[in-house]
Amino acid sequence: MKIRFFAVLIISLLIAGIACAKEPIRLDGSSDAAAEASWEKMTESVSAAKKQKLLLAMLQINLAGVNSAYEVAGNPELQSLGIVRIKDRVAGLSADEIIELGDRTSGAQVHVQSVQ
């Protein structure tokens, strides 16, 4: 009886662990610190190629509505672009969803050239 109980318990824990492992990391926008911590966890959990796309998306979302470098130079808020500035727009989103939002965001065009 004890063996059967422990076998069921172990199988249940494995199933619960597998279910949790497949859930994507979502950005926690409840506070600046929570946003920074979840952003760091999110960027560390993806491949290098996806991380580059994610960082570009964050930059594009930050620069939404900005039309020139002159605007950036004149606005101190735009001079330190980061996840905290846009946490309310991306709260609850996964990495893939943030990338999609960045692709849909109009504004400054960001071109990246890979250096190898």
Side-chain angles (χ1 to χ4, degrees), residues 22-114:
K22 292 184 180 183
E23 185 66 29
I25 297 170
R26 300 202 172 268
L27 192 99
D28 180 359
S30 62
S31 69
D32 291 354
E36 286 285 353
S38 60
W39 176 253
E40 186 174 326
K41 185 187 289 187
M42 183 182 289
T43 57
E44 289 175 355
S45 71
V46 296
S47 67
K50 194 170 200 174
K51 181 176 182 176
Q52 183 178 18
K53 289 179 183 180
L54 188 58
L55 292 171
L56 282 172
M58 187 263 297
L59 182 60
Q60 288 172 312
I61 297 165
N62 263 293
L63 294 175
V66 175
N67 296 313
S68 70
Y70 180 76
E71 285 183 59
V72 175
N75 186 345
E77 183 180 308
L78 292 173
Q79 294 173 10
S80 60
L81 304 175
I83 198 65
V84 171
R85 184 172 180 278
I86 61 168
K87 70 178 173 60
D88 294 332
R89 287 193 63 196
V90 297
L93 299 182
S94 67
D96 289 333
E97 293 166 336
I98 292 172
I99 292 168
E100 288 176 25
L101 178 61
D103 289 341
R104 292 191 317 263
T105 302
S106 62
Q109 295 294 316
V110 179
H111 299 282
V112 177
Q113 182 177 354
S114 180

Side-chain angles (χ1 to χ4, degrees), residues 2-16:
K2 283 185 177 183
I3 294 174
R4 179 177 273 174
F5 173 76
F6 285 116
V8 170
L9 180 65
I10 290 172
I11 291 171
S12 298
L13 290 174
L14 286 173
I15 291 171

